[in-house]
């Protein structure tokens, strides 16, 4: 006999000996599980005789359901990581039920995604103050004249003593399902029947309470104003009543305590049911609150204008390519050699020297120094008091002046363009740290937290060296002050983007809106709306926020409140004066040249004095007829 045939024989024998009522009940449970189309691990607590338990186990096992039995002191569910596969089936007429129900309540097993099937005396459940909330799948089975009736029981809040029932199915032993309603919490239980929800908001500015609806001062508490409108849509969708709590901060862990302050503290302590202001994910907050939906992609970043090219490069070296510089040097060397050779010929040829050269000061001598001075005069577009007298020498001089004037014109034009150019060389946090750019941060509670708790070396160095240097006032400031400094200085300001761009749109001229750059300091994903940990309303609120997003309400409100990066419409614009930084290299040349001149002058004076003293001390003197 095969193993499958043996199972069928055993099952037939059990069916004969087991009373038909239990047999029909087991058939119904199997059919009910089949209708849910979910892999299921059945965790059972039954006080039946051995034959009934064996029949129950065999039928469910043959239908590919895992079955385990537990005791009141044991674990109610198995160790499977898939919570959505867990179903708890109990007989309410058994001993120890009260302990099992209380244990399930303490372990939050009445919540999603756990499922329950109970049968027997349902008053046992109704009389206890169990947290069987609106997100539960708690099915109660009642049998009358061979018809099994399934209802789902739940309460709007834990404090409520009244259970609501929702018809799920009617099943008859001969005809199967007479009625079946597939329970989907996010669809079937969105009506909270006017339940009061306590909602905690974060407002950093007291004036914001007067402008939550009117779209004024959108750059102040922007994220709270957006979420205030979205929460109204959400509570309308769920038919709930709103009760607001205002906090000055999002909430951070208090010293020497496991509790948080602010909005997160309200959720942790059960003072609030839902957070009204979206919050960034942090590792510590995930342990005390849940998150249901993202409201808008908003981030905190450093905003700064692309620095002028002169801030990072020497403008006077940029106009020409390196090979052009090599060519210029080569031309100057060749012309120097040519002019020097011409001068040698002029002074060595007796006929030319006699007829054309004036031995006085107006004649150019074959000296390297004089040739170099002539070249420098040509480069700087200055004249020379002396020049070669021969035709070949004058041609060489004219050629060098013509070549240099073209180079000078190209060089000057390039300098003008470069003075108006910017650079995107600042791209990383390391660049912010190493470049001579000043930094500031918006004076808001979460900015203090994230900068002070930064541990990564570069971020820590930015905070200690540029944001809060030792023995100096930290660079935390208002948005208006920070954005004005971005406008007028080489300055980067850390701010929530919408807030910063709203002030930029109001203050900046059109040409100043071009070249705005961003660098992220805090690596966080977009903020999500928080809710109380293990809340009964999590699934309903999550579905409600999805509906608001799909219907376009979220996009509409965000578009009206949030300010995006202003477009660059005029890349060139108003007149701007050249600063010291733009021409510092010219001053360096002037300073070095002046110092070099003084050194040469001092050397000449000392040398002349030395020669004069040497002549005076010589015993051989010529003069007075001697």
């Amino acid at each position: 006999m095969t193993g499958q045939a043996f199972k069928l024989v055993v099952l037939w024998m059990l069916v004969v000996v087991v009373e038909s009522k239990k047999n029909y009940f087991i058939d119904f449970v199997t059919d009910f599980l089949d209708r849910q189309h979910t892999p299921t691990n059945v965790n059972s607590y039954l006080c039946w005789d051995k034959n009934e338990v064996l029949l129950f186990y065999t039928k469910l096992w043959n239908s590919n359901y895992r079955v385990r039995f537990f005791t009141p002191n044991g674990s109610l569910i198995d160790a499977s990581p898939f919570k959505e596969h867990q179903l708890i089936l109990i007989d309410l007429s058994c001993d120890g039920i009260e302990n099992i129900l209380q244990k399930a309540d303490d372990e939050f097993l009445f919540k999603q995604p756990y499922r329950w099937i109970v049968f027997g005396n349902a008053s046992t459940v109704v009389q206890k103050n169990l947290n069987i909330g609106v997100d539960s799948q708690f099915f109660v089975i009642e049998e009358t004249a061979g018809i099994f009736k399934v209802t789902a029981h739940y309460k709007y809040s834990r404090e409520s003593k009244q259970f609501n029932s929702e018809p799920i199915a009617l099943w008859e032993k001969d005809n199967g399902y007479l009625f079946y309603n597939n329970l989907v919490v996010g669809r079937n239980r969105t009506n909270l029947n006017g339940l009061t929800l306590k909602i905690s908001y974060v407002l950093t500015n007291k004036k914001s309470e007067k402008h939550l609806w009117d779209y004024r001062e959108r750059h102040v508490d922007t994220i709270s104003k957006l979420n205030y409108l979205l929460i109204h849509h959400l509570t309308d969708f769920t038919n709930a009543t709103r009760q607001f709590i205002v906090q000055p901060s999002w909430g951070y862990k208090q010293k020497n305590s496991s509790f948080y302050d602010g909005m997160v503290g309200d959720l942790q302590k059960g003072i609030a049911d839902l957070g009204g202001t979206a919050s960034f994910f942090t590792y510590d907050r995930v342990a005390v609150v849940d998150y249901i939906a993202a409201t808008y992609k908003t981030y905190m970043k450093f905003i700064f204008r692309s620095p002028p090219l002169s801030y990072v490069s020497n403008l006077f070296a940029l106009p020409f390519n390196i090979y052009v510089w090599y060519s210029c040097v080569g031309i100057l060397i060749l012309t120097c050699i040519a002019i020097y050779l011409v001068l040698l010929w002029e002074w060595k040829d007796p006929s030319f020297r006699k007829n054309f050269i004036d031995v006085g000061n107006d004649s150019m001598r074959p000296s390297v120094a004089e040739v170099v001075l002539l070249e420098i005069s040509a480069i700087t577009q200055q004249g020379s008091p002396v020049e070669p007298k021969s035709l070949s020498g004058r041609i060489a001089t004219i050629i060098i002046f013509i070549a240099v004037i073209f180079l000078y014109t190209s060089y000057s034009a390039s300098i003008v363009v470069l003075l108006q150019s910017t650079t995107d060389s600042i791209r990383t946090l390391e660049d912010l740290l190493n470049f001579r750019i000043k930094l500031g941060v918006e004076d808001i509670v979460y900015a203090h937290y994230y900068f002070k708790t930064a541990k990564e070396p570069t971020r820590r160095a930015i905070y200690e060296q540029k944001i809060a240097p030792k023995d100096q006032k930290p660079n935390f400031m208002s948005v208006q002050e920070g954005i004005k400094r971005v406008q007028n200085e080489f300055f980067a300001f850390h701010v929530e983007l919408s807030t910063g761009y709203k002030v930029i749109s109001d203050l900046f001229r059109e040409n100043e809106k071009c070249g705005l750059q961003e660098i992220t300091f805090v690596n966080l994903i977009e903020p999500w709306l928080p809710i109380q940990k293990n809340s009964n309303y999590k699934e309903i609120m999550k579905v409600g926020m999805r509906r608001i997003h799909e219907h376009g309400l979220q996009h509409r409100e965000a578009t009206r409140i949030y300010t995006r990066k202003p477009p660059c419409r005029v890349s060139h614009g108003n007149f701007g004066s050249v600063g010291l930084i733009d021409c510092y290299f010219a001053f360096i040349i002037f300073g070095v040249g002046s110092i070099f001149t003084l050194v040469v002058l001092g050397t000449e004076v000392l040398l002349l004095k030395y020669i004069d003293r040497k002549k005076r001390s010589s015993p051989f003197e010529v003069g007075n007829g001697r």
Side-chain angles (χ1 to χ4, degrees), residues 11 40 74 89 128 144 186 255 315 344 417 460 564 591 597 603:
L11 180 60
T40 303
L89 184 147
K128 292 184 66 65
T144 304
K255 292 183 178 179
L315 297 184
L344 284 178
V417 174
R460 192 66 189 170
R564 298 190 178 185
T597 301
T603 303

Side-chain angles (χ1 to χ4, degrees), residues 4 80 118 123 160 245 256 293 334 358 394 442 457 494 517:
Q4 186 66 25
S80 171
V118 300
S123 62
S160 174
I245 304 170
N256 303 322
L334 290 175
D358 183 2
R394 291 180 177 180
E442 180 186 4
H494 190 271
Q517 291 184 250

Side-chain angles (χ1 to χ4, degrees), residues 119-180:
F119 55 94
N121 186 10
S123 62
T124 306
V125 178
V126 175
Q127 292 173 359
K128 292 184 66 65
N129 186 25
L130 300 175
N131 189 21
I132 304 177
V134 293
D135 65 334
S136 65
Q137 300 182 72
F138 192 83
F139 303 111
V140 177
I141 300 174
E142 299 174 339
E143 191 269 336
T144 304
I147 297 178
F148 291 90
K149 178 183 178 181
V150 183
T151 55
H153 287 221
Y154 65 95
K155 297 191 298 183
Y156 286 119
S157 66
R158 187 185 186 101
E159 293 75 20
S160 174
K161 295 183 179 180
Q162 181 181 358
F163 274 87
N164 301 284
S165 62
E166 181 178 3
I168 298 298
L170 285 176
W171 187 88
E172 190 178 20
K173 59 184 178 181
D174 296 325
N175 299 317
Y177 282 102
L178 305 177
F179 161 78
Y180 185 83

Side-chain angles (χ1 to χ4, degrees), residues 1-163:
M1 182 181 294
T2 63
Q4 186 66 25
F6 176 76
K7 295 173 189 176
L8 292 176
V9 171
V10 172
L11 180 60
W12 177 81
M13 295 173 63
L14 289 171
V15 170
V16 172
V17 298
V18 175
E19 58 179 325
S20 59
K21 182 181 289 189
K22 285 288 191 299
N23 192 16
Y24 288 138
F25 175 79
I26 297 170
D27 290 340
F28 161 71
V29 170
T30 305
D31 201 4
F32 186 71
L33 295 178
D34 290 341
R35 273 299 183 100
Q36 295 188 357
H37 305 291
T38 302
T40 303
N41 298 340
V42 181
N43 303 276
S44 307
Y45 181 69
L46 304 173
C47 50
W48 300 349
D49 61 41
K50 294 182 180 179
N51 291 334
E52 293 171 339
V53 171
L54 182 58
L55 178 63
F56 174 80
Y57 179 87
T58 305
K59 280 197 172 184
L60 266 66
W61 181 74
N62 285 333
S63 298
N64 297 317
Y65 296 111
R66 293 180 57 188
V67 182
R68 63 178 287 270
F69 298 93
F70 61 86
T71 62
N73 297 326
S75 175
L76 303 187
I77 58 175
D78 63 22
S80 171
F82 303 102
K83 296 180 180 180
E84 63 276 12
H85 295 174
Q86 302 293 338
L87 181 141
I88 302 172
L89 184 147
I90 61 175
D91 185 349
L92 296 176
S93 62
C94 298
D95 296 333
I97 286 298
E98 292 187 357
N99 293 335
I100 292 175
L101 294 176
Q102 188 60 51
K103 186 175 183 180
D105 193 25
D106 295 339
E107 296 178 1
F108 302 104
L109 297 183
F110 292 120
K111 300 179 57 58
Q112 286 271 17
Y114 301 108
R115 292 170 289 155
W116 285 74
I117 294 178
V118 300
F119 55 94
N121 186 10
S123 62
T124 306
V125 178
V126 175
Q127 292 173 359
K128 292 184 66 65
N129 186 25
L130 300 175
N131 189 21
I132 304 177
V134 293
D135 65 334
S136 65
Q137 300 182 72
F138 192 83
F139 303 111
V140 177
I141 300 174
E142 299 174 339
E143 191 269 336
T144 304
I147 297 178
F148 291 90
K149 178 183 178 181
V150 183
T151 55
H153 287 221
Y154 65 95
K155 297 191 298 183
Y156 286 119
S157 66
R158 187 185 186 101
E159 293 75 20
S160 174
K161 295 183 179 180
Q162 181 181 358
F163 274 87

Side-chain angles (χ1 to χ4, degrees), residues 46 55 72 82 147 187 336 394 399 425 465 522 525 558 594:
L46 304 173
L55 178 63
F82 303 102
I147 297 178
R187 180 191 65 194
C336 282
R394 291 180 177 180
I399 288 175
S425 57
Q465 298 177 24
V522 182
I525 64 174
S594 300

